[in-house]
Amino acid sequence: MQVGDRVRVKESVVVYHHPEHRSQAFEIKGMEGEVVAIVTQWQGRPVSANFPCHVQFSKKFKVHLRENELENV
């Protein structure tokens, strides 16, 4: 998985920060977005992020996910 790849959420993932459903459970399984970053460094130091894939679904909605929760489109 690389920055710029088009991906789809293949696992059941519930988020609570969707802009249209604030503070409510929202299922994102099946949504498509673009990988905007793979988190491997923070302030120049290597990190082992639990959710390294930063995916943007819309202008206002981004989510950090695991690689096994995504599939390439």
Side-chain angles (χ1 to χ4, degrees):
M1 197 146 315
Q2 298 177 356
V3 174
D5 283 356
R6 197 85 181 130
V7 294
R8 178 184 304 121
V9 181
K10 68 177 183 178
E11 303 276 327
S12 177
V13 178
V14 176
V15 297
Y16 290 86
H17 66 280
H18 190 278
E20 297 171 11
H21 305 277
R22 284 253 180 227
S23 302
Q24 299 173 4
F26 184 74
E27 174 69 50
I28 62 171
K29 182 177 182 179
M31 289 185 70
E32 292 185 12
E34 181 180 336
V35 177
V36 292
I38 304 293
V39 180
T40 57
Q41 292 189 5
W42 183 72
Q43 294 184 347
R45 295 179 293 190
V47 295
S48 58
N50 293 333
F51 302 98
C53 299
H54 196 196
V55 180
Q56 182 169 1
F57 294 102
S58 68
K59 186 176 180 181
K60 293 183 177 183
F61 184 51
K62 296 179 184 177
V63 179
H64 286 270
L65 298 166
R66 295 182 180 109
E67 274 193 47
N68 66 337
E69 296 171 331
L70 301 170
E71 64 184 357
N72 286 331
V73 176

